[in-house]
């Protein structure tokens, strides 16, 4: 980690908690004992949320964003895809120099994790994690294989849609976000209890990456575009006025 | 009427049970991709201030200790300055401020070794009591939970954030208990009796 300084300051936009999934979502069983019962104490951001860790491009290895070869150097098996997009804030500005980390199952839906006992085999050449730092315009890209769907013990016959987990930093700790990217056209999306923790269809659609033929490479790989939006910041023009704006 | 042209924040989803693959691959045993996991320590040798160790667990509403939670911490240096983009100037160069903490896969205990942060001003300039911000994700948590560690041997009564907690008896859930000269205990309870206070900040 390096201390590349950012001038991005100012209070964060309030989170729209009707847009995000609520904590208690019985269709997703594990949430039932892990959701706070008491109301959140709502205050708005302070300096502790408006500042955050910074990451430099210099910490990245050459293959960190290439999941096809970054585990052993030999190529993983599966559908070759580019996952790319921009990290923006709610004001529509690209957010440069922020860390994007991803992890996923292999093409058969099996994770390289000691707790995953699914019968689909591991791919000896697929680790399943990648990371990158956004460019000046907020853009990022990964090369990977499309993950398979997999079963999970929720209701008897629940299957997760194909998805890639995404972890994003902004310039403030209060912007910290983890989400999942889904793929256009996957019939399992509408059937997934985790997807359906989100109440509004427009919010669910914001997690579905469209096929992007403009970015596909002929005779090489397809592409999906996934833009990520972080909490915006209010202008701090009047921040010295203690009575507020 | 014109349309507001703001974008909506990307909706959150749970980190799921396999968050370690992506965020702490070396600790999981998937070595060879990154030379080291990020956020192993919020300080470097030579950091100014009182070195402390905080130990705890995360428990669910049934009293079960979570083995699959991931916590990130963010704090100021001993003078109360944040590394990076603090408008008041540069922090102690040996404080990076951020750590990524996972529970032991067997016991569920987590540990944070750091320096005790100094006071940081609230919007109106009043000092907030020394605290470490936490962000907790895990399977079953749909949106990362925000909370704070305060310290029992500090003056917490005047903290403008703690003062905003209407149910005064809940403030104790945010206060790490001293267990040694430089050691504290901070257990996080997600739900039920003595449920930890979580914030919308």
């Amino acid at each position: 980690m390096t201390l590349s300084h950012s001038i991005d300051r100012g209070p964060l936009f309030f989170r729209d908690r009707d847009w995000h999934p609520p904590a208690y979502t019985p269709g997703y069983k594990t949430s039932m004992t892990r959701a706070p019962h008491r109301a959140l104490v709502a205050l708005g951001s302070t300096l502790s949320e408006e500042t955050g860790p910074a990451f430099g491009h210099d910490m990245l290895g050459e293959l960190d964003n290439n999941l096809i070869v970054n585990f052993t150097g030999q190529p993983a098996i599966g559908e070759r895809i580019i996952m790319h997009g921009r990290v923006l804030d709610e004001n529509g500005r690209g957010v440069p120099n922020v860390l994007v980390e991803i992890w996923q199952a292999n093409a058969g839906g099996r994770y390289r994790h000691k707790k995953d006992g699914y019968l689909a085999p591991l791919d000896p050449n697929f680790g399943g994690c990648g990371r990158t730092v956004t460019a000046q315009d907020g853009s990022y890209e990964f090369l990977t294989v499309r993950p398979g769907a997999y079963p999970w013990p929720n209701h008897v016959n629940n299957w997760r849609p194909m998805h890639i987990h995404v972890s994003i930093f902004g310039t403030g700790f209060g912007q910290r976000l983890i989400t999942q990217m889904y793929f256009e056209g996957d019939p399992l999306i509408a059937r997934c209890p985790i997807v359906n923790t989100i109440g509004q269809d427009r919010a669910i659609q914001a997690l579905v990456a469209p096929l992007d033929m403009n970015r596909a490479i002929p005779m090489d790989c397809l592409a999906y575009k996934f833009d990520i939006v972080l909490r915006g910041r209010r202008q701090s023009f009047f921040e010295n006025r203690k009575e507020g704006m | 009427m014109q349309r507001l042209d703001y974008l909506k924040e990307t909706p959150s989803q749970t980190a799921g049970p396999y968050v370690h693959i992506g965020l702490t691959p070396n600790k999981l045993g998937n070595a060879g991709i990154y030379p080291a996991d990020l956020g192993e320590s919020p300080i470097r040798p030579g950091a100014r201030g009182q070195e402390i160790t905080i130990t705890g667990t995360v428990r669910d509403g049934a009293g079960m200790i979570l083995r699959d939670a991931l916590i990130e911490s963010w704090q100021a240096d001993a003078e109360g300055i944040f590394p990076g983009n603090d408008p008041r100037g540069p922090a102690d160069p040996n404080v990076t401020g951020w750590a990524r903490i996972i529970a032991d896969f067997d016991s569920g205990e987590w540990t944070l070794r750091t320096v005790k942060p100094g006071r940081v001003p609230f919007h109106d300039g009043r000092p907030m009591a020394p605290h470490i911000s936490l962000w907790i994700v895990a399977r079953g948590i749909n949106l990362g939970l925000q909370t704070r560690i305060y310290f029992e041997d500090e003056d917490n009564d005047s903290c403008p954030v703690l003062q905003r907690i209407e149910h005064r008896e809940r403030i104790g859930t945010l206060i790490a208990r001293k267990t040694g000269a430089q050691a504290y205990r901070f257990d996080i309870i997600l739900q039920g009796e003595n449920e930890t206070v979580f914030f919308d900040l």
Side-chain angles (χ1 to χ4, degrees):
Chain A
M1 187 165 63
T2 60
L3 302 174
S4 62
H5 289 239
S6 166
I7 53 161
D8 218 356
R9 294 165 186 160
L12 298 171
F13 286 1
F14 310 108
R15 260 195 170 127
D16 180 351
R17 289 176 183 270
D18 295 324
W19 174 258
H20 285 286
Y24 184 76
T25 48
Y28 174 26
K29 289 181 180 176
T30 312
S31 76
M32 294 176 75
T33 51
R34 297 186 175 193
H37 282 164
R38 307 289 292 264
L40 301 180
V41 173
L43 271 164
S45 65
T46 73
L47 206 51
S48 301
E49 291 72 39
E50 291 154 16
T51 56
F55 303 91
H57 295 264
D58 56 350
M59 69 170 217
L60 298 174
E62 200 180 336
L63 298 176
D64 280 5
N65 68 338
N66 183 342
L67 285 73
I68 290 183
V69 296
N70 74 4
F71 192 52
T72 62
Q74 296 301 307
I77 289 173
E79 183 183 336
R80 295 165 58 83
I81 60 165
I82 290 170
M83 167 188 175
H84 77 104
R86 290 178 74 202
V87 176
L88 305 158
D89 69 13
E90 290 173 288
N91 289 305
R93 299 183 309 164
V95 187
N97 303 317
V98 293
L99 180 66
V100 181
E101 297 164 285
I102 65 171
W103 70 100
Q104 62 170 92
N106 68 22
R110 175 77 182 270
Y111 283 95
R112 188 171 287 282
H113 192 293
K114 50 189 166 192
K115 285 199 186 153
D116 188 358
Y118 183 34
L119 54 79
L122 287 169
D123 178 340
N125 296 314
F126 188 70
C129 72
R131 65 186 182 188
T132 191
V133 172
T134 58
Q136 279 310 305
D137 62 352
S139 63
Y140 73 91
E141 64 178 353
F142 293 96
L143 181 63
T144 187
V145 295
R146 186 145 80 144
Y150 61 84
W152 60 299
N154 189 60
H155 302 303
V156 174
N157 195 22
N158 278 142
W159 292 73
R160 294 301 326 281
M162 301 176 285
H163 64 277
I164 295 176
H165 296 267
V166 187
S167 165
I168 316 103
F169 287 80
T171 51
F173 194 58
Q175 291 169 305
R176 195 74 181 84
L177 183 70
I178 279 184
T179 190
Q180 300 181 30
M181 180 193 100
Y182 304 102
F183 292 85
E184 176 187 354
D186 186 342
L188 289 170
I189 295 172
R191 294 169 169 86
C192 176
I194 289 178
V195 172
N196 289 322
T197 59
I198 300 172
Q200 301 183 42
D201 186 61
R202 207 160 59 87
I204 291 174
Q205 294 309 315
L207 299 182
V208 181
L211 180 68
D212 180 3
M213 292 306 288
N214 286 340
R215 193 62 180 266
I217 302 175
M219 306 305 287
D220 183 338
C221 63
L222 283 170
Y224 287 86
K225 186 165 193 287
F226 187 60
D227 287 337
I228 299 158
V229 181
L230 300 176
R231 294 170 74 180
R233 287 177 186 266
R234 304 164 70 188
Q235 58 167 318
S236 48
F237 220 68
F238 298 104
E239 68 181 3
N240 295 329
R241 278 173 49 177
K242 290 199 169 65
E243 68 273 27
M245 290 177 64
Chain B
M1 189 172 67
Q2 294 187 0
R3 281 184 58 185
L4 282 170
D5 58 0
Y6 298 115
L7 303 176
K8 292 295 286 184
E9 188 185 10
T10 297
S12 175
Q13 292 271 266
T14 179
Y18 306 129
V19 61
H20 316 95
I21 293 174
L23 304 190
T24 60
N26 291 290
K27 289 193 186 75
L28 174 65
N30 292 354
I33 302 174
Y34 309 142
D37 291 338
L38 291 176
E40 293 202 323
S41 176
I43 54 170
R44 300 189 185 104
R48 294 190 292 269
Q50 182 196 354
E51 290 199 22
I52 57 171
T53 300
I54 307 165
T55 306
T57 55
V58 182
R59 271 182 283 164
D60 71 9
M64 190 188 81
I65 294 173
L66 273 63
R67 268 82 172 171
D68 53 8
L70 182 134
I71 302 170
E72 290 183 7
S73 68
W74 175 242
Q75 66 170 88
D77 69 10
E79 306 298 321
I81 305 288
F82 288 101
N85 55 342
D86 191 318
R88 298 165 300 156
D92 179 344
N94 291 320
V95 173
T96 59
W98 174 72
R100 187 170 265 170
I101 310 155
I102 61 167
D104 182 271
F105 287 108
D106 296 318
S107 70
E109 290 257 330
W110 55 264
T111 300
L112 172 63
R113 292 186 184 84
T114 186
V115 291
K116 192 188 264 189
R119 292 169 186 275
V120 174
F122 193 58
H123 319 291
D124 57 9
R126 284 184 292 160
M128 295 188 279
H131 65 274
I132 297 174
S133 298
L134 300 184
W135 179 76
I136 304 158
V137 294
R139 175 172 68 102
I141 297 176
N142 291 326
L143 174 59
L145 294 167
Q146 295 170 284
T147 189
R148 288 183 173 188
I149 302 175
Y150 286 84
F151 301 93
E152 79 170 337
D153 52 348
E154 294 288 335
D155 172 18
N156 295 311
D157 292 342
S158 60
C159 179
V161 169
L162 295 178
Q163 282 178 349
R164 288 285 287 272
I165 299 172
E166 186 184 358
H167 298 100
R168 310 300 298 167
E169 78 285 358
R170 301 194 66 208
I171 291 173
T173 70
L174 297 176
I175 296 176
R177 303 295 164 194
K178 212 157 179 189
T179 55
Q182 295 175 307
Y184 294 88
R185 178 94 200 166
F186 189 78
D187 289 307
I188 297 160
I189 299 175
L190 298 177
Q191 183 189 84
E193 196 179 347
N194 296 319
E195 179 178 306
T196 301
V197 170
F198 297 103
F199 292 100
D200 185 5
L201 291 166

